[in-house]
Amino acid sequence: MAMISPLEVGLMFWGEHQPERTLPAIKLIGMRCGHLGFAGHVELNFDIASKWRAVADAEDFGITAVFAAFQGESYADIPTVQQTVGFIPPATRELREKRSLEVIDAASAMGVPIFACHIGFVPDDHTHPDFVAVRDMVRRICDHALQYNIAFALETGQETAESLLHFIEAVERRNLKVNFDPANMIMYGTAEPIPALEKLATQLVSVHCKDGVWPDKTKPGTLGHEMPLGEGEVGMDRFVATLKKIGYTGPLTIEREVSLDQDMDDRHKEGISHLDDIRSAIRLLNSLRETA
Ligand code: MG
């Protein structure tokens, strides 16, 4: 595995079966680490994972986390997210648990220490059947990951820091951690991200550098939208300064998604897009690494 410097800039990208094309393409843009996501339709097994590892080693590229998205997820608006994303929809729970274990097995074969995904809108009420079912599911996934010393990082955004901390406490697994995505907190209209980041500091294992704007208050249920890094309402200088203050030394992984009104599979097919935005995000983050 490549040696990654503190706060090195990386990229969140989606993989299929061509690491020998994907990883050199990311290096050409100027990065040598990133989070590798697998959409739900992508076949994964030991041989495919071993190929990713071999190409990453040959390219001196650090895959620092593996993300799972699931078939049938849609981020069209908040009610649709509630009904389709993560572990909340009961009909897909069993399938998504099986897929999570598969992705963790792949992460282990790649030598990657973090597995992450959105688990969806978890209710605050600890006696709610969805809370209990998702808590138990996350326990089983954490236990599977722990045998490889892999952390399960919850992607933030759909709940407040307090709710997330209560959920983590209830799960009672030491390898349950947080991937902090400041733009999600804004786009879901959840809360100001910087105070949330401070509250989640002890659980933090990775971050997404993404920017966005708050939802339109006159249209309930809609999401805010993503913006090029530095042009949204996160305040990237405060974000990076806060990461330094809390002692975070992992990579700064840029996530630049396409519009949120397509379903996940379509979004992932587009591959690396917004190249100019990514290039200017690299410049911004590299300057904040020095100055913020
Ligand atoms: Mg994210």
Side-chain angles (χ1 to χ4, degrees), residues 6-278:
L7 304 180
E8 182 160 337
V9 179
L11 185 69
M12 167 82 210
F13 61 101
W14 294 90
E16 297 243 358
H17 299 148
Q18 294 190 298
E20 70 282 4
R21 290 175 60 165
T22 309
L23 300 185
I26 297 168
K27 284 174 70 183
L28 268 180
I29 319 168
M31 290 165 289
R32 47 178 211 108
C33 65
H35 292 173
L36 168 56
F38 290 105
H41 69 274
V42 176
E43 186 196 354
L44 269 183
N45 56 40
F46 183 79
D47 289 344
I48 292 167
S50 301
K51 188 178 167 192
W52 276 99
R53 181 177 195 151
V55 177
D57 286 347
E59 294 287 339
D60 197 30
F61 188 96
I63 299 168
T64 52
V66 175
F67 273 69
F70 302 105
Q71 274 184 308
E73 289 185 317
S74 168
Y75 289 82
D77 52 33
I78 288 176
T80 309
V81 172
Q82 283 169 333
Q83 286 156 24
T84 67
V85 169
F87 301 162
I88 296 297
T92 50
R93 250 178 223 149
E94 204 180 320
L95 213 61
R96 290 179 182 181
E97 180 170 343
K98 189 168 163 276
R99 175 65 175 180
S100 299
L101 303 189
E102 233 170 60
V103 177
I104 289 167
D105 291 341
S108 162
M110 290 181 219
V112 176
I114 298 171
F115 160 77
C117 67
H118 278 291
I119 62 166
F121 282 94
V122 180
D124 274 328
D125 173 4
H126 287 203
T127 62
H128 192 289
D130 285 343
F131 182 96
V132 173
V134 172
R135 180 200 64 197
D136 292 350
M137 183 171 166
V138 170
R139 282 179 177 165
R140 292 191 294 273
I141 294 170
C142 284
D143 290 343
H144 186 79
L146 190 62
Q147 63 178 327
Y148 307 121
N149 240 342
I150 289 177
F152 178 5
L154 302 172
E155 171 82 336
T156 59
Q158 294 159 0
E159 55 287 298
T160 62
E162 290 79 6
S163 295
L164 202 57
L165 285 171
H166 286 146
F167 179 75
I168 290 171
E169 272 170 33
V171 173
E172 297 178 305
R173 292 296 184 273
R174 63 188 161 88
N175 61 330
L176 186 59
K177 301 290 181 183
V178 165
N179 178 75
F180 193 86
D181 185 323
N184 285 349
M185 300 211 83
I186 288 181
M187 285 154 52
Y188 286 100
T190 309
E192 283 286 351
I194 305 298
L197 174 61
E198 290 181 319
K199 286 181 194 139
L200 293 166
T202 56
Q203 308 297 327
L204 190 70
V205 287
S206 59
V207 299
H208 282 162
C209 295
K210 188 167 88 185
D211 215 338
V213 294
W214 295 91
D216 181 346
K217 284 203 181 87
T218 65
K219 295 179 192 155
T222 58
L223 288 156
H225 57 269
E226 201 183 313
M227 295 290 288
L229 208 72
E231 295 176 29
E233 294 175 296
V234 168
M236 281 323 259
D237 48 350
R238 281 197 308 151
F239 180 59
V240 175
T242 307
L243 287 172
K244 287 182 183 174
K245 189 176 95 180
I246 64 176
Y248 175 79
T249 56
L252 300 175
T253 304
I254 297 167
E255 184 180 27
R256 180 74 175 112
E257 295 272 10
V258 292
S259 77
L260 287 168
D261 55 10
Q262 304 168 41
D263 72 29
M264 290 300 287
D265 289 344
D266 284 344
R267 287 160 65 197
H268 298 150
K269 277 180 204 146
E270 297 201 6
I272 298 170
S273 58
H274 292 97
L275 259 186
D276 289 341
D277 289 349
I278 291 170

